[in-house]
């Protein structure tokens, strides 16, 4: 049998393994040998076997079977075994494992040991993995150790004190001893090692963070901390603590972090450290990572205390230098810090705008994201044109995951700082052309509102949108706005007279071809088709030669499978037929939407709500239901009970509704002697009761007469039993059936689909009626 390997030999063999499988084989063989050594008892090799197991644990392999061996070695009287046992406990045990309770008594005995080396092992282990219960049980022994003056245990005592602070142990004597220990260290900073000072500073930091009531007491130590920090900055080269030319950067970072806590919202403490911070910021070399770490902590301290304005400008300039660093991590943290202070020190950050914009070209996505956020924060009325140019260039090449954030930021900046309405419209159209699929839902209604208010730019806008629509119909938001604008201002497009843009002669057929392409395209969403169909209908009052073509297009969609599109088409067909005399009045241009009206949310609510409000408004103004049922619901409910609807629009609607004779009973079907009427009997916010009345003026009776209805999922339908299934001839009788529509969510009630199955002397015929 092959003899077990020593630790150094095992490390060499594992590192020389060529494959992961070969490494696993070596580990499994050595773990089997280690288990065998543990089972043999005290043979002098247990500590070596545990050391090998700890290395296996460092490689990520299971080592839990060595926990009990750690407990046994800690209880040993040999220092070499006790040292490995404590090391194993710190690596393999934690406060949540039961095995950690078994070493409490051993730690208690070792804290009272005569050797300071053994005490140090116990203190270090307690600081590393001690639980709250363990620290309470050992509080007397820890208190006694804190008062000792042995140099080797000093750092260990501070580590235990930090552990107490982290565990929030409310033991006043321990805290008082810790404070005494800190004062001793600070008063003897020239004779205490830097490691002990580091532990003392960490302890003060933990006490201040967990107990703000100690801040006033520790602020008295600010002069001593400043003196220590000055000594580190001006000290000569020390091989023991020097890192890349910086004297003990770890201690410097800890002291600066503590000064930041002590100087926060305190003028006296802040004044005491201003000169020091200026000295550190000026004399520290930022070419190395260690120097950058110290400077970064200095900047954070300057920004968090009540520092002078000149010192804050110096801190911003340091962050600006970080932006030129080749290390992406340094550039990232620099922009993160600038983002936090850009609102308070806007002018100072503006000086580095060019460097920040250059970071938009970085290959790292996280750096791009930070640069984008900071660039958007730097946009102002002074630099809006230049910054927007850079942001639009970035939008054309930015990663897909940043496009939505970029478009939202551009829209917000353009709305806030736009120099003119034309520039504002051009900017939004540029974004829609570049990334129309990544904009938020509220973009379309917001742009429509902007266009309606810019009456002098209607001709320019409709020409530009028409050209964009003909060029590309894949960007749905752009297509929706273009269709809306063509429907509203199609007459201006056909005139071909526009001073702001090169005129292009557009015919009626060209415009209808473009809209028909949108309607037939597989890329068009149902909402986009709705915009295109409405635009087509509105053009019927703006053109003269192609009204029949529009009527034909609209009639095609009367049997569309999409509910919303079919409803619009049926209503528009009714305008052409029964209400053609008032079509021009109903389809006239929309009134200007006031940005400050209660109905305009301007980004205060979700895009879904805004889009629904706009659709509701447009539906009310420009759509007439074939039987006026929708108009009745809207007129009685929306214009009175919906608080968001602007009062000025209500008046406009009432004026246009004068042309519409809304009645309680309406004939919805009349053919071959069969007449079907709908009568609205009762209406509340959540319920509508409708009676369907069928009569027969033909020569023969209609037998087996049935009615069927379907509604969307949001509406509950209840059909009462009909009065009969035979309609007498010559109008001698009628069949009635009551339908109750329950609308618990108070959603806008859509159309009611009815299916009439009529049995005459001829074969069965099925009639579909949309009410």
């Amino acid at each position: 049998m092959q003899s077990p390997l020593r630790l150094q030999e095992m490390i060499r063999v594992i590192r020389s393994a060529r494959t992961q499988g070969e490494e696993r084989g070596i580990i499994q063989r050595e773990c089997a040998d280690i288990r065998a050594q543990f089972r043999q008892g005290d043979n002098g090799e247990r500590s070596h076997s545990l050391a090998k197991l700890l290395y296996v644990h460092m490689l990520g392999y299971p080592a839990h079977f060595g926990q009990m061996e750690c407990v046994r070695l800690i209880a040993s009287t040999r220092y070499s075994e006790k040292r490995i046992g404590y090391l194993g406990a710190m690596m393999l045990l934690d406060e949540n494992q039961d095995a950690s309770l078994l070493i409490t008594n051993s730690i208690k005995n070792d804290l009272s040991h005569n050797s300071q080396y053994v005490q140090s092992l116990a203190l270090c282990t307690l600081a590393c993995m001690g639980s709250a219960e363990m620290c309470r049980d050992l509080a007397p022994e820890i208190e006694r150790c804190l008062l000792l003056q042995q140099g080797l245990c000093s750092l260990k005592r501070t580590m235990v004190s930090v552990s107490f602070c982290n565990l929030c142990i409310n033991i006043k004597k321990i805290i008082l001893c810790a404070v005494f220990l800190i004062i001793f260290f600070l008063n003897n900073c020239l004779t205490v090692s830097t490691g002990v000072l580091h532990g003392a500073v960490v302890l003060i930091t933990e006490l201040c963070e967990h107990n703000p009531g100690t801040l006033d007491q520790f602020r008295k130590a600010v002069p001593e901390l400043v003196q220590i920090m000055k000594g580190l900055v001006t000290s000569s080269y020390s091989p023991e603590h020097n890192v890349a030319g910086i004297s003990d950067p770890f201690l410097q970072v800890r002291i600066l972090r503590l000064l930041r806590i002590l100087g926060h919202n305190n003028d006296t403490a802040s004044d005491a450290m201003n000169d020091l911070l200026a000295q550190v910021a000026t004399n520290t070399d930022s070419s190395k990572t260690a120097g950058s770490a110290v400077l970064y902590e200095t900047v954070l301290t300057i920004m968090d205390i009540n520092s002078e304005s000149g010192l804050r400008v110096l801190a911003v300039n340091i962050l600006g230098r970080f932006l030129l660093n080749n290390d992406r991590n340094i550039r990232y943290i620099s922009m993160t810090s600038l983002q936090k202070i850009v609102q308070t020190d806007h002018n100072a950050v503006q000086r580095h705008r060019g460097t920040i914009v250059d970071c938009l070209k970085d290959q790292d996505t996280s750096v791009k994201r930070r640069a984008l956020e900071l660039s958007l924060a730097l946009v102002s009325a002074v630099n809006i044109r230049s910054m927007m140019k850079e942001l639009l260039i970035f939008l054309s090449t930015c990663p897909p995951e940043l496009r939505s954030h970029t478009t939202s930021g551009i829209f917000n900046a353009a709305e806030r700082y736009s120099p003119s309405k034309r520039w504002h419209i051009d900017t939004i159209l540029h974004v829609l052309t570049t990334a129309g699929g990544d904009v938020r839902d509220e973009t379309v209604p917001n742009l429509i509102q902007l266009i309606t208010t810019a009456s002098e730019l209607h001709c320019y806008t409709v020409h530009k949108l028409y050209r964009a629509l003909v060029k590309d119909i894949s960007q749905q938001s752009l297509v929706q706005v273009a269709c809306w604008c063509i429907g509203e201002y199609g007459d201006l497009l056909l005139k071909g007279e526009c001073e702001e843009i090169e005129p292009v002669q557009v015919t009626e057929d060209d415009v209808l071809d473009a809209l028909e392409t949108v309607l037939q395209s597989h890329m068009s969403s149902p909402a986009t088709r709705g915009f295109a169909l409405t635009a087509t209908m509105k053009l019927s009052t703006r053109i003269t030669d192609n009204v029949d073509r529009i009527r034909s297009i609209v009639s095609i969609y009367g049997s569309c499978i999409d509910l919303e599109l079919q409803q619009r088409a049926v209503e528009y067909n009714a305008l052409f037929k029964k209400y053609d005399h008032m079509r021009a009045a109903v389809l006239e241009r929309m009134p200007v939407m006031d940005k400050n009206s209660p109905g305009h949310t301007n980004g205060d609510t979700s895009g879904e709500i805004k889009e629904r409000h706009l659709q509701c408004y447009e539906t009310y103004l420009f759509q007439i239901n074939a039987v006026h049922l929708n108009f009745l619901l809207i007129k009685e409910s929306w214009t009175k009970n919906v608080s968001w609807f602007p009062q000025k629009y209500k008046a406009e609607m009432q004026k246009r509704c004068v042309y519409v004779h809304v009645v309680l009973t309406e004939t919805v079907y009349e053919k071959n002697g069969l007449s079907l009427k709908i009568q609205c009997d009762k209406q509340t916010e959540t319920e509508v009761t409708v009676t369907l009345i069928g009569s027969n003026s033909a020569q023969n009776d209609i037998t087996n007469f049935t009615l069927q209805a379907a509604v969307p999922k949001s509406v509950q339908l209840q059909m009462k039993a009909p009065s009969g299934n035979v309609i007498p001839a010559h109008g001698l009788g009628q069949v009635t059936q009551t339908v109750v529509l329950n609308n618990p969510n108070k959603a806008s009630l859509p159309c009611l689909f009815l299916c009439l199955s009529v049995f005459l002397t001829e074969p069965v015929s099925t009639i579909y009626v949309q009410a």
Side-chain angles (χ1 to χ4, degrees):
M1 181 178 177
Q2 185 178 1
S3 59
L5 300 176
R6 306 295 292 179
L7 176 60
Q8 293 82 356
E9 183 66 17
M10 184 189 75
I11 294 175
R12 186 188 64 79
V13 173
I14 292 176
R15 287 182 175 179
S16 63
R18 297 180 179 179
T19 62
Q20 190 174 8
E22 184 180 352
E23 178 184 295
R24 284 197 299 266
I26 298 172
I27 296 295
Q28 291 174 1
R29 184 172 62 252
E30 289 301 319
C31 285
D33 294 336
I34 292 172
R35 285 191 179 93
Q37 291 291 336
F38 288 165
R39 287 194 295 267
Q40 291 178 7
D42 189 3
N43 57 0
E45 296 293 329
R46 292 189 304 169
S47 60
H48 298 288
S49 299
L50 183 58
K52 292 164 60 177
L53 183 62
L54 295 181
Y55 180 75
V56 171
H57 173 72
M58 292 170 60
L59 296 178
Y61 292 92
H64 57 278
F65 58 89
Q67 293 176 354
M68 294 307 300
E69 192 63 24
C70 294
V71 176
R72 285 192 286 267
L73 289 179
I74 289 174
S76 174
T77 57
R78 301 173 185 172
Y79 178 77
S80 59
E81 293 184 348
K82 190 182 291 288
R83 181 181 60 178
I84 295 297
Y86 274 123
L87 178 61
M90 287 186 281
M91 295 180 64
L92 302 180
L93 299 178
D94 58 51
E95 61 181 32
N96 298 320
Q97 294 177 342
D98 295 336
S100 63
L101 301 176
L102 300 177
I103 65 173
T104 303
N105 191 59
S106 298
I107 293 178
K108 181 177 181 180
N109 295 332
D110 290 339
L111 287 175
S112 303
H113 201 278
N114 296 328
S115 173
Q116 60 176 331
Y117 300 99
V118 176
Q119 291 181 10
S120 298
L121 290 175
L123 287 170
C124 190
T125 304
L126 187 61
C128 182
M129 46 78 63
S131 63
E133 293 78 8
M134 187 182 297
C135 291
R136 287 192 184 95
D137 295 339
L138 301 176
E141 286 74 17
I142 297 173
E143 179 185 353
R144 185 182 58 81
C145 287
L146 286 176
L147 298 176
L148 295 177
Q149 298 298 318
Q150 294 173 335
L152 182 64
C153 295
S154 298
L155 179 58
K156 314 302 180 184
R157 295 200 297 270
T158 59
M159 293 172 62
V160 173
S161 301
V162 171
S163 177
F164 267 70
C165 294
N166 288 331
L167 293 171
C168 298
I169 306 300
N170 188 17
I171 301 178
K172 294 183 178 180
K173 289 185 177 180
I174 300 294
I175 300 298
L176 291 175
C177 291
V179 173
F180 170 78
L181 182 65
I182 293 167
I183 296 174
F184 171 77
F185 289 158
L186 295 179
N187 291 334
N188 299 273
C189 58
L190 298 178
T191 59
V192 176
S193 67
T194 56
V196 175
L197 282 176
H198 187 281
V201 172
V202 172
L203 177 56
I204 299 176
T205 304
E206 295 292 338
L207 287 172
C208 292
E209 289 179 345
H210 288 84
N211 189 6
T214 61
L215 285 173
D216 291 336
Q217 183 174 358
F218 286 118
R219 284 191 176 112
K220 300 175 183 178
V222 168
E224 287 79 7
L225 292 171
V226 170
Q227 191 64 32
I228 296 172
M229 189 66 188
K230 284 185 177 180
L232 293 172
V233 174
T234 59
S235 64
S236 58
Y237 176 78
S238 175
E240 184 178 358
H241 305 108
N242 188 280
V243 179
I246 305 299
S247 178
D248 205 341
F250 300 100
L251 180 57
Q252 290 193 43
V253 167
R254 284 293 183 180
I255 293 176
L256 288 169
R257 192 169 299 171
L258 177 57
L259 291 176
R260 181 164 72 249
I261 297 174
L262 298 176
H264 182 68
N265 291 334
N266 188 276
D267 294 333
T268 304
S270 298
D271 293 340
M273 61 184 76
N274 275 334
D275 293 339
L276 168 68
L277 295 174
Q279 185 178 2
V280 176
T282 306
N283 298 334
T284 304
D285 184 13
S286 62
S287 60
K288 302 295 183 180
T289 303
S292 298
V294 174
L295 282 176
Y296 178 66
E297 205 67 37
T298 304
V299 170
L300 295 182
T301 304
I302 292 173
M303 293 302 176
D304 207 38
I305 67 173
N306 301 337
S307 56
E308 301 172 350
S309 59
L311 200 57
R312 298 179 69 87
V313 173
L314 178 60
V316 173
N317 291 338
I318 292 174
L319 294 176
R321 292 204 307 269
F322 283 173
L323 294 175
L324 302 174
N325 198 295
N326 294 327
D327 191 335
R328 289 175 179 170
N329 294 323
I330 295 178
R331 295 203 299 273
Y332 181 85
I333 63 172
S334 173
M335 285 185 287
T336 302
S337 302
L338 289 173
Q339 181 72 28
K340 295 177 181 178
I341 63 176
V342 67
Q343 300 300 329
T344 57
D345 298 270
H346 188 81
N347 293 332
V349 180
Q350 279 284 0
R351 298 190 184 99
H352 307 279
R353 186 176 70 243
T355 309
I356 294 170
V357 170
D358 288 340
C359 291
L360 291 171
K361 305 173 185 177
D362 197 281
Q363 299 298 320
D364 189 271
T365 304
S366 59
V367 175
K368 284 184 178 181
R369 186 184 299 276
R370 285 300 183 194
L372 172 62
E373 294 173 353
L374 191 53
S375 298
L376 292 173
L378 290 176
V379 176
S380 64
V382 178
N383 59 27
I384 180 65
R385 292 184 183 273
S386 60
M387 287 295 294
M388 197 58 64
K389 181 179 179 181
E390 297 291 342
L391 290 171
L392 292 175
I393 294 174
F394 172 73
L395 178 62
S396 61
T397 59
C398 73
E401 60 269 21
L402 295 181
R403 285 184 180 176
S404 178
H405 184 45
T406 306
T407 56
S408 300
I410 291 176
F411 289 156
N412 292 336
E415 183 175 3
R416 188 174 182 181
Y417 302 111
S418 61
S420 64
K421 288 186 177 181
R422 174 171 175 174
W423 181 93
H424 193 179
I425 293 174
D426 287 342
T427 301
I428 297 181
L429 293 183
H430 186 113
V431 174
L432 294 180
T433 305
T434 307
D438 299 293
V439 300
R440 296 181 178 177
D441 295 337
E442 63 264 27
T443 302
V444 173
N446 284 348
L447 180 55
I448 289 176
Q449 183 273 330
L450 175 64
I451 293 173
T452 58
T453 57
S455 57
E456 70 280 2
L457 296 175
H458 287 169
C459 183
Y460 167 79
T461 304
V462 71
H463 276 83
K464 193 162 186 176
L465 282 169
Y466 173 76
R467 296 182 184 184
L469 179 65
V470 173
K471 186 177 181 180
D472 182 19
I473 62 171
S474 62
Q475 307 290 353
Q476 295 299 289
S477 300
L478 177 66
V479 174
Q480 291 175 8
V481 177
C483 290
W484 183 92
C485 203
I486 290 173
E488 287 293 307
Y489 314 116
D491 52 335
L492 301 179
L493 177 63
L494 295 174
K495 288 181 180 179
E497 300 175 359
C498 185
E499 299 178 357
E500 294 86 358
I501 195 171
E502 182 181 354
V504 176
Q505 188 62 40
V506 181
T507 65
E508 295 180 1
D509 288 327
D510 294 336
V511 178
L512 293 177
D513 287 343
L515 294 176
E516 203 165 5
T517 301
V518 175
L519 285 168
Q520 298 173 358
S521 174
H522 67 279
M523 294 184 292
S524 298
S525 64
T528 302
R529 287 191 175 95
F531 274 90
L533 186 63
T534 301
T536 304
M537 183 62 186
K538 294 173 78 171
L539 284 177
S540 66
T541 62
R542 292 154 174 77
I543 64 178
T544 56
D545 299 332
N546 285 274
V547 177
D548 291 337
R549 181 181 175 183
I550 294 176
R551 184 184 291 108
S552 175
I553 295 174
V554 171
S555 63
I556 292 174
Y557 291 91
S559 57
C560 179
I561 192 173
D562 182 77
L563 174 65
E564 174 69 19
L565 205 59
Q566 182 184 126
Q567 177 184 354
R568 293 193 184 198
V570 171
E571 293 167 353
Y572 296 160
N573 277 321
L575 273 179
F576 273 123
K577 296 177 181 178
K578 195 170 184 178
Y579 306 102
D580 191 64
H581 59 283
M582 55 185 174
R583 176 163 51 89
V586 172
L587 299 178
E588 68 182 46
R589 288 182 183 175
M590 288 178 64
V592 176
M593 290 186 287
D594 187 4
K595 183 176 181 180
N596 298 322
S597 66
H600 189 82
T601 54
N602 195 25
D604 295 335
T605 59
S606 66
E608 180 181 357
I609 295 176
K610 282 189 277 190
E611 184 178 3
R612 179 165 57 85
H613 286 183
L614 181 67
Q615 290 177 352
C616 291
Y617 171 55
E618 186 180 8
T619 300
Y620 188 96
L621 283 179
F622 307 124
Q623 298 180 7
I624 304 295
N625 189 282
V627 296
H628 306 111
L629 179 60
N630 281 354
F631 251 121
L632 182 64
L633 298 179
I634 294 172
K635 184 176 181 182
E636 296 298 325
S637 178
W638 285 2
T639 59
K640 293 181 180 179
N641 300 326
V642 181
S643 59
W644 62 263
F645 221 94
Q647 185 64 37
K648 59 182 293 187
Y649 297 158
K650 295 180 185 179
E652 180 68 22
M653 293 175 190
Q654 296 291 345
K655 181 184 70 174
R656 298 191 183 190
C657 289
V658 170
Y659 300 99
V660 183
H661 181 57
V662 180
V663 292
L664 293 179
T665 303
E666 181 67 27
T667 301
V668 296
Y669 180 81
E670 190 170 9
K671 188 175 182 181
N672 298 328
L674 175 62
S675 175
L676 180 65
K677 297 181 179 180
I678 290 184
Q679 176 178 298
C680 184
D681 299 328
K682 180 182 178 182
Q683 175 191 349
T684 64
E685 290 186 359
T686 59
E687 186 176 281
V688 176
T689 302
V690 177
T691 300
L692 306 175
I693 305 172
S695 60
N696 178 21
S697 61
Q699 300 294 327
N700 301 319
D701 294 345
I702 298 178
T703 60
N704 297 328
F705 180 79
T706 60
L707 287 172
Q708 297 178 356
V711 293
K713 295 180 179 180
S714 60
V715 179
Q716 299 174 1
L717 173 68
Q718 182 182 4
M719 298 190 69
K720 307 290 186 179
S723 61
N725 62 351
V726 177
I727 307 179
H730 305 294
L732 298 177
Q734 59 186 16
V735 173
T736 61
Q737 186 170 4
T738 301
V739 179
V740 179
L741 301 176
N742 189 14
N743 185 18
N745 298 325
K746 300 182 181 180
S748 58
L749 289 176
C751 301
L752 174 69
F753 289 95
L754 302 177
C755 176
L756 289 72
S757 297
V758 185
F759 290 81
L760 304 173
T761 55
E762 289 84 5
V764 178
S765 62
T766 302
I767 306 170
Y768 294 92
V769 178
Q770 182 185 34

